[in-house]
Amino acid sequence: DADVTQTPRNRITKTGKRIMLECSQTKGHDRMYWYRQDPGLGLRLIYYSFDVKDINKGEISDGYSVSRQAQAKFSLSLESAIPNQTALYFCATTPGGGAPGANVLTFGAGSRLTVL
Amino acid sequence: AQSVSQHNHHVILSEAASLELGCNYSYGGTVNLFWYVQYPGQHLQLLLKYFSGDPLVKGIKGFEAEFIKSKFSFNLRKPSVQWSDTAEYFCAVNARSGGYQKVTFGIGTKLQVIP
C-alpha cells in the first residue's frame, strides 16, 4: 500500500459543485500539505497542517477549505468548483521536527480534477 | 518571501549528453535544498537534498547537485543522461517563513531525452 493515498484519482465535475479530495497517510507524520500543480506554474501550496489543531493557509487558499480529521487524514474541499480550479492536486507529508529529513516531502499519486 | 527560479523550462537532449539544470533561490537565511523528479504519470519523488556539510550532494540514478551559497544556486547535473531520465524536475527550498518551515517549489523543468 502507498504511504500517502489520495482519492479520487480522477474526477470530472461541473461548475458550482462541491468537491472533496481526500488524503490519508500511513507514515505517522504530523505534517500534511495540499499542493496544486499547473503546467508552467509548478507546485503551489494551498493549505498545510502541522498537527490536528494547526491549519494554515498557503499561497493560493482562496476557494478552498481543508479539514484535518485525524493525524492520518487531511481533506481538501472546493465548496463551489470553478473551471480555473482544474488542476492536478497533490497531498504530501513531512515528519517535521529538527532532524535531517524533517522537511522531505512524501507525495501521494495525485488527484486530477477537471471542472467543466 | 522565499522564491525559487528554474531557468530552463524545457530541455531536449540526446542520450549520453550531459545535463545541467539551473536553480536559484532568494532567501537570506538558512535553507534546505531539494530536487524532486516527476516521471510521466507518476507522483513527485525526492532525487536529492542538501541540508549541511559538503555542498556537492549525490542523489539517485547518478544525479548530483552543487550548493553555491554565494550565488544562491543549487544546480542539478548528470554527466550522461538516459532515455529513462525523461521527466519533470523541480527545485525546492525549505526555509523559515512566518515562524514556520515551508517548502517553495520552482516551476519545473521538463527534460526530454531522445534515444
Side-chain angles (χ1 to χ4, degrees), chain A residues 6 12 15 22-24 26 36 50 57 61-62 64 68-69 77 83 86 88 92-93 112:
Chain A
Q6 293 183 230
I12 300 173
T15 298
E22 298 186 345
C23 177
S24 62
T26 58
R36 167 179 173 160
F50 281 3
K57 293 182 177 181
S61 58
D62 287 349
Y64 301 95
R68 185 82 184 266
Q69 302 93 325
S77 294
T86 293
L88 184 57
T93 72
R112 186 169 295 281

Side-chain angles (χ1 to χ4, degrees), chain A residues 48 50 54 56-57, chain B residues 1-2 27 94-104:
Chain A
Y48 61 102
F50 281 3
D54 181 16
N56 304 279
K57 293 182 177 181
Chain B
Q2 64 209 53
Y27 185 75
N94 178 73
R96 183 168 292 278
S97 175
Y100 291 105
Q101 297 275 350
K102 289 196 295 188
V103 178
T104 301

